[in-house]
Amino acid sequence: MCEEQNVGFAEQKVKVPSLHCDSRVQTVSADVMKLPKQQVRELSPKKKGFSVILSDMCPSVSGITSRDAALSFELGMRALDLAVGSRAANIPDDNFQKEEESCTSAPDDNGVLQPRGHLVIKLLESEDIRELNQICRPLFKKASWLRPKATRSSSREIYLICQDLQS
């Protein structure tokens, strides 16, 4: 029997389409910026974390390029923090550190991504996202960028693909 479980987090309530999903799929309505890692871990199979984390988070786009990119970067850093916890401690963004400290409800600051796990983060292209890649490179066996061919030419969406979290 397959023990994989899919958990989606959204600020607004999301209905899981029963036609395409079974009991292994669930959604949680919560603000991911305030969600404790331990609460996320509790949702995983055997409470041991997840083998894959996909962050498709995107800020409410304002049309102000620099603002939208900064918010996207902040969401990406939060996804990384949830995944690897204190292993990404070299995060130089003071605002993120303050936010991250408020998210932690327990002394356990381990991420929820299992060793050898994979992380995918959607971001809006900007100069800041290079910093995220630099943080991920030593943590994962491979970190690379992907801009899917199906992406509209006007879109600034790009994905950071991190494979094989090092132990």
Side-chain angles (χ1 to χ4, degrees):
M1 182 173 165
C2 179
E3 292 187 33
E4 289 299 317
Q5 185 163 345
N6 299 288
V7 181
F9 296 93
E11 282 192 83
Q12 298 175 352
K13 200 161 187 75
V14 176
K15 185 173 174 30
V16 177
S18 58
L19 179 63
H20 304 289
C21 302
D22 61 21
S23 63
R24 295 173 295 168
V25 177
Q26 65 176 313
T27 60
V28 176
S29 180
D31 180 352
V32 74
M33 298 304 283
K34 297 176 183 169
L35 196 61
K37 291 179 199 79
Q38 186 57 38
Q39 185 178 343
V40 175
R41 190 177 295 104
E42 293 292 323
L43 297 169
S44 68
K46 299 182 182 177
K47 300 176 181 17
K48 292 186 177 183
F50 296 92
S51 57
V52 176
I53 295 176
L54 169 62
S55 171
D56 193 38
M57 295 185 287
C58 189
S60 296
V61 180
S62 68
I64 303 169
T65 305
S66 58
R67 179 183 184 279
D68 295 341
L71 290 172
S72 172
F73 178 75
E74 185 177 352
L75 288 170
M77 292 299 281
R78 178 61 180 147
L80 177 62
D81 176 59
L82 280 170
V84 302
S86 62
R87 294 180 67 181
N90 296 330
I91 301 170
D93 183 8
D94 291 336
N95 291 330
F96 179 76
Q97 285 292 341
K98 290 175 190 164
E99 192 72 45
E100 186 269 331
E101 288 168 10
S102 70
C103 296
T104 306
S105 65
D108 176 15
D109 196 30
N110 294 325
V112 299
L113 184 62
Q114 296 173 349
R116 299 192 52 98
H118 309 299
L119 172 65
V120 179
I121 304 172
K122 178 174 74 175
L123 296 154
L124 296 178
E125 282 185 281
S126 71
E127 291 298 315
D128 293 336
I129 64 172
R130 290 183 184 155
E131 182 180 326
L132 195 56
N133 190 11
Q134 289 172 341
I135 294 167
C136 291
R137 282 197 181 275
L139 299 174
F140 292 87
K141 198 171 263 188
K142 183 177 179 184
S144 57
W145 295 105
L146 174 68
R147 183 176 173 84
K149 291 178 183 177
T151 304
R152 294 183 325 270
S153 60
S154 61
S155 174
R156 294 177 24 241
E157 289 181 359
I158 190 167
Y159 292 84
L160 177 59
I161 314 291
C162 302
Q163 297 171 287
D164 200 4
L165 178 64
Q166 306 291 338
S167 297

